[in-house]
Amino acid sequence: MGTDRALSERPTVFLSHRYRSGDINLFFWRIISAVQEVAFRVDEGVLFTSVTRLERLIRDADGFVGVYPLPGDPQESWDLAALRQEARYFLLELGIAIRAQRPAIVFCDHRYRRLMQSPPSVMVIEYDPQEISDAPDSALVARVSRAYRAFVERLSLAMDIRRKTRAHQAGRVGLLLSREYQPEVREALEQVLNDTAWDPAPLPWPPRLDPELMARLRRLDWAILALDDPAAQMAAGFILGHGVPLLPLLREQNGPQAEIAEQVLFGGSEVGHRKAMLRWESEADLVSAFRTHLKVIGQQPGYIRDVGQATEYFASASRRKEQVFLSYAREDSEVAAKFSTLLRGSFQKVFDYRVKGTIRAGTNWMAELSDGLSTSAVGVLLFSSSYWQSKWCQMEADRLYRAHVEDRVRLLPVCLERTALLEPFSGLQYRALYQSSPEEIVAEFVRELQLTEPTSG
């Protein structure tokens, strides 16, 4: 080992990074792994950014490493608004690490200096991107190595303490629901938790910030809290401050009451905070959205353990992480294959039922299809006369459109021929294959996503 105090076990560290900076990520990974063998946890969520899931991933890691580069010309000057936009996911994840009291080290482009205001528990190492070089006498390599050795010392002490004090029970979910939540709603939420192998643990209402509640909170894996009541709004900050991952619920009709709480709890993050809260109107809406959140929260992270995995992951991560569902009629398979190939060049995962391995051998194909629909964040629909005549295509289109209305799926409708769009799709902006090529359609769509979607994870 390259450190005076090598850890007795390989630490598991959450990696916060810019997906599309694969070469820079690999540069820092090589330096870090030369100092101390490490297993990196990486967020490979594909449906939407679940703050609850991020909180669990970071809480369960031994430490936190951030690699925060800027894209483009290393000599370019950035204004503060542009820096905030680029750093929005970095700051979300770093804030979670600070609340969870995880040892943290961040290697950031020196142009982020104004934004990386952190407590002393976070080691911030600034670098000039022009310094990045694999040369043996690289000053940056030496500086990063020294800093990471110091971080390993902190990590070793923190791991010793965690080993003695770890208290939460995996899968145990606390429920703090105000009296406004009727018994049938409570029972429905508990049933969904049981159905998906979580262990519901109802907590008394109203919450009292006493030692008994603190002891119960520390035994939870994560908690559900209805923000509709002023008592809940006070408890939310207390729960988050204790590092307990939280899924807030908010009934839309009570939105104005919780506006201040929402700003206090999530206003410091320019991303994630709309999706951090599960908003609902009817019990059916709540149960459906709750199942979707549980699917994302329970999704397991990816791991990087060696140089081969690191090289493969960072190359793959340069493609967008949203899962794409490609919906088309069997009669249009030839043109669909072109779209499938192009989409796989820009996205890590594409659900195309005709591609070998998409539906696993021996499984229920309808269940696999439904799972593909529920876990996709992008829907590409290839409309044609054959499409409208297929009951399966219409089922897929209806599911994707409903998720689009709920702001869970981004749609790319493509007309393969001149055909009238059925309701409710007639109001959607679509691309036409008779006006643009598949290459042009996919490239334009990816450019649109890059303007609005995350760059880190």
Side-chain angles (χ1 to χ4, degrees):
M1 294 294 183
T3 178
D4 294 333
R5 180 174 178 169
L7 300 177
S8 59
E9 61 185 79
R10 179 185 296 198
T12 297
V13 173
F14 183 88
L15 176 63
S16 176
H17 62 299
R18 186 177 189 275
Y19 288 119
R20 288 184 288 281
S21 295
D23 290 345
I24 295 177
N25 293 329
L26 189 58
F27 170 82
F28 281 99
W29 184 88
R30 288 180 184 278
I31 301 172
I32 288 169
S33 59
V35 172
Q36 168 70 57
E37 289 185 353
V38 64
F40 274 141
R41 280 180 167 225
V42 289
D43 174 21
E44 293 186 316
V46 295
L47 186 54
F48 58 82
T49 297
S50 166
V51 177
T52 313
R53 177 172 180 268
L54 281 173
E55 288 170 342
R56 292 182 70 241
L57 292 181
I58 294 171
R59 185 271 318 273
D60 292 343
D62 296 310
F64 179 95
V65 172
V67 178
Y68 299 160
L70 278 167
D73 186 348
Q75 294 182 309
E76 180 183 355
S77 176
W78 287 60
D79 62 37
L80 188 58
L83 287 171
R84 286 190 184 281
Q85 174 70 7
E86 189 65 30
R88 61 200 191 282
Y89 273 82
F90 301 155
L91 297 176
L92 170 67
E93 292 170 348
L94 181 58
I96 294 172
I98 292 170
R99 289 204 308 270
Q101 300 181 36
R102 289 292 165 265
I105 185 168
V106 170
F107 304 102
C108 70
D109 189 303
H110 66 101
R111 291 170 289 182
Y112 280 124
R113 181 178 295 116
R114 173 97 177 262
L115 298 181
M116 295 299 158
Q117 303 297 319
S118 302
S121 59
V122 179
M123 300 173 63
V124 179
I125 313 302
E126 298 177 5
Y127 69 89
D128 186 328
Q130 298 176 91
E131 295 180 276
I132 292 180
S133 169
D134 290 324
D137 59 348
S138 167
L140 179 57
V141 170
R143 186 151 53 88
V144 171
S145 297
R146 285 195 302 271
Y148 200 75
R149 287 191 185 96
F151 174 70
V152 167
E153 292 287 337
R154 292 189 182 186
L155 193 59
S156 176
L157 293 172
M159 288 173 66
D160 288 343
I161 294 171
R162 283 191 71 208
R163 193 176 295 111
K164 297 172 183 175
T165 60
R166 191 172 295 167
H168 83 269
Q169 299 175 16
R172 191 165 180 77
V173 182
L175 289 97
L176 272 165
L177 303 177
S178 67
R179 295 187 179 93
E180 185 171 320
Y181 282 67
Q182 300 300 317
E184 56 269 23
V185 176
R186 297 166 179 265
E187 291 169 6
L189 292 178
E190 289 185 32
Q191 186 60 54
V192 173
L193 286 167
N194 277 314
D195 290 346
T196 49
W198 296 99
D199 178 18
L203 298 174
W205 188 268
R208 300 186 182 278
L209 309 184
D210 55 22
E212 180 182 355
L213 178 61
M214 284 185 266
R216 289 190 178 194
L217 287 175
R218 291 185 184 278
R219 289 194 291 270
L220 297 177
D221 189 323
W222 56 283
I224 299 165
L225 175 67
L227 273 184
D228 308 82
D229 188 283
Q233 295 166 24
M234 293 179 63
F238 180 81
I239 293 170
L240 286 172
H242 277 73
V244 179
L246 186 65
L247 175 62
L249 308 184
L250 180 60
R251 199 167 186 174
E252 289 287 5
Q253 68 186 44
N254 297 330
Q257 300 176 26
E259 185 175 341
I260 295 177
E262 186 178 9
Q263 280 299 313
V264 171
L265 293 172
F266 308 112
S269 171
E270 296 181 23
V271 293
H273 104 244
R274 285 289 302 181
K275 294 285 177 64
M277 307 183 73
L278 195 166
R279 298 168 181 272
W280 65 285
E281 293 183 2
S282 68
E283 180 182 338
D285 292 336
L286 174 60
V287 170
S288 175
F290 189 47
R291 286 187 183 277
T292 301
H293 274 261
L294 290 181
K295 185 181 289 290
V296 175
I297 291 170
Q299 185 172 344
Q300 296 303 299
Y303 282 89
I304 302 173
R305 294 182 176 86
D306 57 45
V307 66
Q309 290 177 340
T311 303
E312 180 181 352
Y313 169 76
F314 291 131
S316 170
S318 64
R319 301 195 300 273
R320 300 193 64 83
K321 68 173 185 172
E322 303 95 332
Q323 178 168 298
V324 177
F325 190 97
L326 181 59
S327 177
Y328 59 93
R330 181 176 53 192
E331 293 80 357
D332 301 318
S333 295
E334 186 174 344
V335 68
K338 295 180 181 178
F339 277 94
S340 183
T341 299
L342 291 167
L343 290 165
R344 290 176 191 280
S346 295
F347 295 87
Q348 295 177 26
K349 298 181 181 179
V350 177
F351 189 99
D352 177 354
Y353 79 99
R354 293 182 72 87
V355 171
K356 184 178 180 180
T358 298
I359 295 180
R360 296 167 295 174
T363 60
N364 183 308
W365 72 270
M366 189 60 195
E368 292 278 291
L369 186 71
S370 179
D371 188 62
L373 284 165
S374 65
T375 57
S376 293
V378 173
V380 178
L381 305 96
L382 305 185
F383 293 146
S384 68
S385 55
S386 298
Y387 191 95
W388 300 122
Q389 293 169 14
S390 167
K391 66 176 183 179
W392 298 113
C393 290
Q394 290 190 41
M395 180 274 291
E396 293 168 5
D398 289 343
R399 286 275 301 271
L400 290 169
Y401 184 79
R402 195 179 319 129
H404 169 68
V405 171
E406 295 170 356
D407 197 28
R408 293 189 287 109
V409 167
R410 183 78 173 264
L411 294 183
L412 171 59
V414 180
C415 285
L416 303 183
E417 58 193 44
R418 296 183 186 275
T419 178
L421 300 188
L422 301 184
E423 293 295 337
F425 302 98
S426 60
L428 290 179
Q429 182 67 38
Y430 63 87
R431 272 77 165 184
L433 190 61
Y434 47 84
Q435 294 176 338
S436 305
S437 68
E439 291 82 1
E440 291 169 333
I441 291 171
V442 172
E444 182 182 358
F445 181 65
V446 171
R447 282 195 297 271
E448 291 177 1
L449 288 178
Q450 287 173 347
L451 295 175
T452 58
E453 294 298 307
T455 57
S456 65

PDB file of all heavy atoms in Angstrom, residues 367-384:
ATOM      1  N   ALA A 367     -44.578  -9.454 -17.752  1.00  0.00           N
ATOM      2  CA  ALA A 367     -44.045  -8.827 -16.545  1.00  0.00           C
ATOM      3  C   ALA A 367     -42.765  -8.063 -16.861  1.00  0.00           C
ATOM      4  O   ALA A 367     -42.532  -6.967 -16.337  1.00  0.00           O
ATOM      5  CB  ALA A 367     -43.783  -9.879 -15.472  1.00  0.00           C
ATOM      6  N   GLU A 368     -41.914  -8.645 -17.726  1.00  0.00           N
ATOM      7  CA  GLU A 368     -40.682  -7.965 -18.132  1.00  0.00           C
ATOM      8  C   GLU A 368     -40.996  -6.684 -18.889  1.00  0.00           C
ATOM      9  O   GLU A 368     -40.345  -5.655 -18.704  1.00  0.00           O
ATOM     10  CB  GLU A 368     -39.838  -8.896 -19.009  1.00  0.00           C
ATOM     11  CG  GLU A 368     -39.259 -10.082 -18.273  1.00  0.00           C
ATOM     12  CD  GLU A 368     -37.990  -9.719 -17.518  1.00  0.00           C
ATOM     13  OE1 GLU A 368     -36.963  -9.448 -18.147  1.00  0.00           O
ATOM     14  OE2 GLU A 368     -38.058  -9.703 -16.275  1.00  0.00           O
ATOM     15  N   LEU A 369     -42.009  -6.749 -19.755  1.00  0.00           N
ATOM     16  CA  LEU A 369     -42.419  -5.569 -20.509  1.00  0.00           C
ATOM     17  C   LEU A 369     -42.929  -4.475 -19.573  1.00  0.00           C
ATOM     18  O   LEU A 369     -42.563  -3.298 -19.693  1.00  0.00           O
ATOM     19  CB  LEU A 369     -43.511  -5.956 -21.510  1.00  0.00           C
ATOM     20  CG  LEU A 369     -43.966  -4.868 -22.494  1.00  0.00           C
ATOM     21  CD1 LEU A 369     -42.889  -4.597 -23.520  1.00  0.00           C
ATOM     22  CD2 LEU A 369     -45.260  -5.289 -23.183  1.00  0.00           C
ATOM     23  N   SER A 370     -43.749  -4.874 -18.612  1.00  0.00           N
ATOM     24  CA  SER A 370     -44.290  -3.904 -17.653  1.00  0.00           C
ATOM     25  C   SER A 370     -43.182  -3.282 -16.814  1.00  0.00           C
ATOM     26  O   SER A 370     -43.187  -2.076 -16.547  1.00  0.00           O
ATOM     27  CB  SER A 370     -45.311  -4.602 -16.740  1.00  0.00           C
ATOM     28  OG  SER A 370     -45.838  -3.702 -15.794  1.00  0.00           O
ATOM     29  N   ASP A 371     -42.205  -4.105 -16.418  1.00  0.00           N
ATOM     30  CA  ASP A 371     -41.083  -3.588 -15.639  1.00  0.00           C
ATOM     31  C   ASP A 371     -40.260  -2.605 -16.465  1.00  0.00           C
ATOM     32  O   ASP A 371     -39.810  -1.579 -15.964  1.00  0.00           O
ATOM     33  CB  ASP A 371     -40.200  -4.737 -15.166  1.00  0.00           C
ATOM     34  CG  ASP A 371     -39.140  -4.281 -14.187  1.00  0.00           C
ATOM     35  OD1 ASP A 371     -39.502  -3.790 -13.105  1.00  0.00           O
ATOM     36  OD2 ASP A 371     -37.946  -4.413 -14.507  1.00  0.00           O
ATOM     37  N   GLY A 372     -40.064  -2.928 -17.767  1.00  0.00           N
ATOM     38  CA  GLY A 372     -39.341  -2.007 -18.642  1.00  0.00           C
ATOM     39  C   GLY A 372     -40.038  -0.670 -18.761  1.00  0.00           C
ATOM     40  O   GLY A 372     -39.405   0.390 -18.756  1.00  0.00           O
ATOM     41  N   LEU A 373     -41.364  -0.702 -18.823  1.00  0.00           N
ATOM     42  CA  LEU A 373     -42.135   0.545 -18.905  1.00  0.00           C
ATOM     43  C   LEU A 373     -42.009   1.356 -17.614  1.00  0.00           C
ATOM     44  O   LEU A 373     -41.838   2.576 -17.639  1.00  0.00           O
ATOM     45  CB  LEU A 373     -43.610   0.237 -19.190  1.00  0.00           C
ATOM     46  CG  LEU A 373     -43.952  -0.154 -20.623  1.00  0.00           C
ATOM     47  CD1 LEU A 373     -45.339  -0.790 -20.690  1.00  0.00           C
ATOM     48  CD2 LEU A 373     -43.894   1.072 -21.535  1.00  0.00           C
ATOM     49  N   SER A 374     -42.098   0.674 -16.476  1.00  0.00           N
ATOM     50  CA  SER A 374     -42.118   1.389 -15.193  1.00  0.00           C
ATOM     51  C   SER A 374     -40.754   1.922 -14.789  1.00  0.00           C
ATOM     52  O   SER A 374     -40.660   2.822 -13.954  1.00  0.00           O
ATOM     53  CB  SER A 374     -42.670   0.476 -14.093  1.00  0.00           C
ATOM     54  OG  SER A 374     -41.803  -0.616 -13.874  1.00  0.00           O
ATOM     55  N   THR A 375     -39.662   1.380 -15.365  1.00  0.00           N
ATOM     56  CA  THR A 375     -38.322   1.827 -14.964  1.00  0.00           C
ATOM     57  C   THR A 375     -37.651   2.714 -16.006  1.00  0.00           C
ATOM     58  O   THR A 375     -36.489   3.086 -15.836  1.00  0.00           O
ATOM     59  CB  THR A 375     -37.407   0.618 -14.683  1.00  0.00           C
ATOM     60  OG1 THR A 375     -37.359  -0.223 -15.843  1.00  0.00           O
ATOM     61  CG2 THR A 375     -37.908  -0.179 -13.498  1.00  0.00           C
ATOM     62  N   SER A 376     -38.364   3.047 -17.067  1.00  0.00           N
ATOM     63  CA  SER A 376     -37.769   3.883 -18.116  1.00  0.00           C
ATOM     64  C   SER A 376     -38.064   5.352 -17.872  1.00  0.00           C
ATOM     65  O   SER A 376     -39.140   5.721 -17.398  1.00  0.00           O
ATOM     66  CB  SER A 376     -38.290   3.462 -19.495  1.00  0.00           C
ATOM     67  OG  SER A 376     -37.831   2.175 -19.831  1.00  0.00           O
ATOM     68  N   ALA A 377     -37.091   6.181 -18.172  1.00  0.00           N
ATOM     69  CA  ALA A 377     -37.233   7.631 -18.004  1.00  0.00           C
ATOM     70  C   ALA A 377     -37.403   8.346 -19.337  1.00  0.00           C
ATOM     71  O   ALA A 377     -37.671   9.541 -19.369  1.00  0.00           O
ATOM     72  CB  ALA A 377     -36.011   8.196 -17.273  1.00  0.00           C
ATOM     73  N   VAL A 378     -37.220   7.621 -20.435  1.00  0.00           N
ATOM     74  CA  VAL A 378     -37.403   8.171 -21.782  1.00  0.00           C
ATOM     75  C   VAL A 378     -38.235   7.187 -22.582  1.00  0.00           C
ATOM     76  O   VAL A 378     -37.965   5.979 -22.558  1.00  0.00           O
ATOM     77  CB  VAL A 378     -36.042   8.403 -22.483  1.00  0.00           C
ATOM     78  CG1 VAL A 378     -36.249   8.801 -23.949  1.00  0.00           C
ATOM     79  CG2 VAL A 378     -35.248   9.483 -21.756  1.00  0.00           C
ATOM     80  N   GLY A 379     -39.250   7.686 -23.287  1.00  0.00           N
ATOM     81  CA  GLY A 379     -40.053   6.844 -24.157  1.00  0.00           C
ATOM     82  C   GLY A 379     -39.940   7.316 -25.593  1.00  0.00           C
ATOM     83  O   GLY A 379     -40.213   8.489 -25.878  1.00  0.00           O
ATOM     84  N   VAL A 380     -39.495   6.437 -26.481  1.00  0.00           N
ATOM     85  CA  VAL A 380     -39.411   6.745 -27.912  1.00  0.00           C
ATOM     86  C   VAL A 380     -40.515   5.958 -28.607  1.00  0.00           C
ATOM     87  O   VAL A 380     -40.504   4.719 -28.606  1.00  0.00           O
ATOM     88  CB  VAL A 380     -38.026   6.381 -28.488  1.00  0.00           C
ATOM     89  CG1 VAL A 380     -37.979   6.675 -29.986  1.00  0.00           C
ATOM     90  CG2 VAL A 380     -36.933   7.159 -27.758  1.00  0.00           C
ATOM     91  N   LEU A 381     -41.478   6.670 -29.179  1.00  0.00           N
ATOM     92  CA  LEU A 381     -42.640   6.041 -29.785  1.00  0.00           C
ATOM     93  C   LEU A 381     -42.589   6.235 -31.292  1.00  0.00           C
ATOM     94  O   LEU A 381     -42.534   7.384 -31.768  1.00  0.00           O
ATOM     95  CB  LEU A 381     -43.935   6.639 -29.231  1.00  0.00           C
ATOM     96  CG  LEU A 381     -44.088   6.622 -27.701  1.00  0.00           C
ATOM     97  CD1 LEU A 381     -43.653   7.975 -27.116  1.00  0.00           C
ATOM     98  CD2 LEU A 381     -45.531   6.349 -27.311  1.00  0.00           C
ATOM     99  N   LEU A 382     -42.591   5.133 -32.041  1.00  0.00           N
ATOM    100  CA  LEU A 382     -42.511   5.190 -33.503  1.00  0.00           C
ATOM    101  C   LEU A 382     -43.915   4.981 -34.070  1.00  0.00           C
ATOM    102  O   LEU A 382     -44.380   3.844 -34.236  1.00  0.00           O
ATOM    103  CB  LEU A 382     -41.535   4.127 -34.018  1.00  0.00           C
ATOM    104  CG  LEU A 382     -40.120   4.165 -33.433  1.00  0.00           C
ATOM    105  CD1 LEU A 382     -39.228   3.133 -34.111  1.00  0.00           C
ATOM    106  CD2 LEU A 382     -39.510   5.558 -33.548  1.00  0.00           C
ATOM    107  N   PHE A 383     -44.599   6.089 -34.343  1.00  0.00           N
ATOM    108  CA  PHE A 383     -45.989   6.038 -34.780  1.00  0.00           C
ATOM    109  C   PHE A 383     -46.099   5.680 -36.264  1.00  0.00           C
ATOM    110  O   PHE A 383     -45.331   6.185 -37.091  1.00  0.00           O
ATOM    111  CB  PHE A 383     -46.671   7.384 -34.549  1.00  0.00           C
ATOM    112  CG  PHE A 383     -46.845   7.743 -33.102  1.00  0.00           C
ATOM    113  CD1 PHE A 383     -46.773   9.078 -32.692  1.00  0.00           C
ATOM    114  CD2 PHE A 383     -47.091   6.773 -32.149  1.00  0.00           C
ATOM    115  CE1 PHE A 383     -46.943   9.429 -31.366  1.00  0.00           C
ATOM    116  CE2 PHE A 383     -47.264   7.112 -30.816  1.00  0.00           C
ATOM    117  CZ  PHE A 383     -47.190   8.438 -30.424  1.00  0.00           C
ATOM    118  N   SER A 384     -47.074   4.821 -36.577  1.00  0.00           N
ATOM    119  CA  SER A 384     -47.377   4.454 -37.958  1.00  0.00           C
ATOM    120  C   SER A 384     -48.793   3.889 -37.968  1.00  0.00           C
ATOM    121  O   SER A 384     -49.407   3.694 -36.904  1.00  0.00           O
ATOM    122  CB  SER A 384     -46.387   3.405 -38.466  1.00  0.00           C
ATOM    123  OG  SER A 384     -46.579   2.175 -37.777  1.00  0.00           O
TER     124      SER A 384
END
